């Protein structure tokens, strides 16, 4: 049996150019230099460094498995070094924001950075797609991943390809309780939807084909729960394998044609549409948004990342972008009113306790 390959995507916001807008080219450059050295030493097989908005993304391949301390330490040290040598000297905005832990303790999970990892046997030809979003939260993938792996109106293969017909198992994390449950689809579809329709709490973490083949992995961290206070939304990442007994690339991309409403946007406290964009537009502007997602496609060959293909760099997604802009106009007109502004439990910035305190003696019983 061939030695398994692991794809690790680890990201952090360690400061950015012009507020929370975009990663600085020098940050990308230094991260590439560090990962190139790790590749030359044989720690990783290959890497691709990119960004979505203010989040620096380290995509790496290796043979060390998931949650490997050496790989996580490499990512942690890369973020630390780029913070010290680029973000801080250039006084980039919110330098080192997501590096919550003081010293590395074996795994970056729970220390701030977001992680999506998948270990599998490389198939004869293995298309791997990675998605990264800015100004939203891990639950933003719930709708997308459900459509890809459970909705026959999205994924034709669920109905007409015998190798997908059995469906998929979804691992769902309750981010408040720190507990995970496995739910099989299609047989338990309504149970799955009952949970993941609350994306702020129940988050899809992994998806497997019924025969155990790993199909998708997503980041699940919520910085606000780790830190106990607002330190920025956990802009999420996700890895999806495609084709030959899995959803086709086009079936994976199809749900992005509909810019569904996600939580995040300005101050992590507003609902807005998730806009699919090419890398060149992976930077948030209007009202610090609208929330954006990039999709990159690779072919693996013995762990080497051939690519990327910039998947949303296509007029086929122009309409999704136009709808997203219409939705952005529509929602923005609500100003500080819900449902544009998030409910009190989900807001990352709030003055409500202070306002209530100030007014407490003026509230009269009626
Ligand atoms: C949202 C985000 C931004 C900031 C906003 C205020 O995830 O990063 O919308 O929340 O720009 O940032 P501060 O408080 O740093 O001025
Ligand atoms: Mg930021
Ligand atoms: Mg961000």
């Amino acid at each position: 049996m061939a030695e398994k390959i692991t794809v690790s995507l680890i990201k952090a916001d360690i400061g950015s150019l012009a507020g929370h807008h975009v990663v600085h080219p020098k940050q990308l450059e230094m991260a590439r230099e560090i990962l190139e050295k790790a590749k030359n030493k044989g720690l990783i097989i290959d890497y691709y460094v990119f960004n979505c908005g203010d989040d620096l993304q380290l995509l790496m391949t290796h043979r060390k498995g998931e949650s490997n301390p050496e790989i996580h330490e490499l990512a942690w040290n890369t973020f630390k070094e780029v913070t010290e040598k680029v973000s801080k000297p250039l006084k980039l905005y919110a330098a080192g924001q997501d590096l919550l832990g003081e010293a590395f303790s074996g795994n970056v999970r729970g220390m701030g950075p977001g992680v999506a990892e998948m270990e599998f046997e490389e198939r004869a030809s293995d298309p791997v797609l990675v998605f990264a979003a800015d100004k939203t939260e891990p639950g933003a993938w719930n709708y997308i991943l459900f459509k890809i792996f459970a909705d026959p109106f999205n994924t034709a293969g669920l109905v007409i390809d015998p190798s997908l017909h059995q469906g998929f198992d979804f691992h769902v994390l309750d981010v408040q309780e720190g507990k995970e449950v496995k739910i099989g689809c299609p047989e338990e579809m309504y149970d799955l939807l009952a949970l993941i329709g609350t994306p702020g709490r129940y988050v899809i973490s992994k998806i497997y084909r019924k025969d155990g083949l790993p199909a998708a992995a997503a980041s699940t961290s919520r910085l606000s729960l780790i830190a106990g206070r607002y330190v920025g939304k956990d802009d999420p990442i996700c890895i999806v394998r495609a084709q030959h007994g899995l959803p086709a690339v086009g079936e994976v991309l199809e749900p992005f044609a509909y810019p569904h409403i996600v939580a995040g946007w300005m101050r992590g406290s507003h609902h807005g549409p998730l806009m699919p964009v090419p890398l060149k537009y992976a930077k948030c502007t209007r009202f610090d948004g609208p929330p954006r997602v990039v999709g990159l496609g690779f072919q693996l060959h013995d762990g080497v990342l051939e690519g990327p293909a910039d998947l949303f760099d296509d007029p086929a997604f122009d309409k999704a972008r136009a709808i997203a802009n219409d939705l952005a106009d529509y929602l923005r007109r609500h100003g500080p009113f819900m449902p544009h502004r998030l409910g009190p439990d989900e807001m990352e910035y709030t003055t409500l306790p202070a306002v209530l305190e100030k007014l407490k003696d003026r509230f009269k019983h009626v």
Side-chain angles (χ1 to χ4, degrees), residues 11 13 20 52-55 97-98 133-136 233 235:
K11 66 98 214 176
D13 176 346
H20 294 282
C52 185
D54 56 6
D55 294 278
Q97 168 182 290
D98 286 356
D134 191 26
K135 305 293 187 270
T136 182
K233 274 259 184 271
D235 303 317

Side-chain angles (χ1 to χ4, degrees), residues 149 157-159 161-169 184-188 208-211 245:
F149 291 100
L158 292 169
V159 181
D161 181 343
S163 50
L164 279 77
H165 198 71
Q166 299 307 311
F168 290 86
D169 286 324
C185 243
E187 65 280 11
E188 297 179 299
Y208 295 89
R209 204 167 62 186
K210 284 284 164 61
D211 62 0

Side-chain angles (χ1 to χ4, degrees), residues 269-288:
S269 302
H270 293 83
H271 281 121
L274 184 64
M275 182 190 258
V277 292
L279 281 172
K280 69 177 174 204
Y281 294 131
K283 48 191 180 181
C284 288
T285 54
R286 180 181 181 190
F287 202 54
D288 285 358

Side-chain angles (χ1 to χ4, degrees), residues 3-192:
E3 212 186 334
K4 286 183 175 175
I5 196 83
T6 305
V7 178
S8 298
L9 178 58
I10 306 185
K11 66 98 214 176
D13 176 346
I14 52 168
S16 47
L17 177 70
H20 294 282
H21 174 60
V22 76
V23 169
H24 193 290
K26 287 187 177 159
Q27 293 175 301
L28 294 166
E29 193 184 312
M30 169 154 265
R32 284 180 190 123
E33 281 167 18
I34 297 169
L35 294 191
E36 181 66 26
K37 279 186 207 146
K39 180 177 166 178
N40 292 337
K41 276 196 216 147
L43 180 57
I44 54 175
I45 300 170
D46 204 4
Y47 67 89
Y48 186 75
V49 174
F50 65 103
N51 73 290
C52 185
D54 56 6
D55 294 278
L56 179 61
Q57 309 279 346
L58 311 178
L59 178 64
M60 298 169 285
T61 54
H62 54 93
R63 297 205 187 271
K64 295 180 182 294
E66 295 174 23
S67 290
N68 179 271
E70 286 177 90
I71 300 299
H72 280 230
E73 188 170 27
L74 171 64
W76 179 260
N77 288 343
T78 305
F79 293 136
K80 273 279 182 203
E81 200 172 331
V82 176
T83 299
E84 294 304 323
K85 294 191 175 152
V86 182
S87 314
K88 286 186 180 172
L90 299 186
K91 290 180 78 173
L92 295 181
Y93 197 69
Q97 168 182 290
D98 286 356
L99 306 182
L100 305 177
E102 285 303 317
F104 180 71
S105 57
N107 195 306
V108 294
R109 271 182 213 279
M111 298 186 75
V115 185
E117 290 188 299
M118 214 192 308
E119 186 186 34
F120 52 87
E121 266 169 58
E122 193 178 293
R123 296 173 294 167
S125 182
D126 215 321
V128 172
L129 314 185
V130 301
F131 297 94
D134 191 26
K135 305 293 187 270
T136 182
E137 59 175 17
W141 302 136
N142 284 3
Y143 172 89
I144 301 282
L145 291 171
F146 176 83
K147 298 284 282 184
I148 298 169
F149 291 100
D151 180 2
F153 283 77
N154 181 87
T155 298
L158 292 169
V159 181
I160 63 175
D161 181 343
S163 50
L164 279 77
H165 198 71
Q166 299 307 311
F168 290 86
D169 286 324
F170 290 69
H171 293 217
V172 178
L173 175 73
D174 175 344
V175 293
Q176 274 173 25
E177 296 289 328
K179 288 183 184 164
E180 207 168 77
V181 61
K182 186 173 104 179
I183 301 178
C185 243
E187 65 280 11
E188 297 179 299
M189 179 187 288
Y190 299 155
D191 295 336
L192 177 65

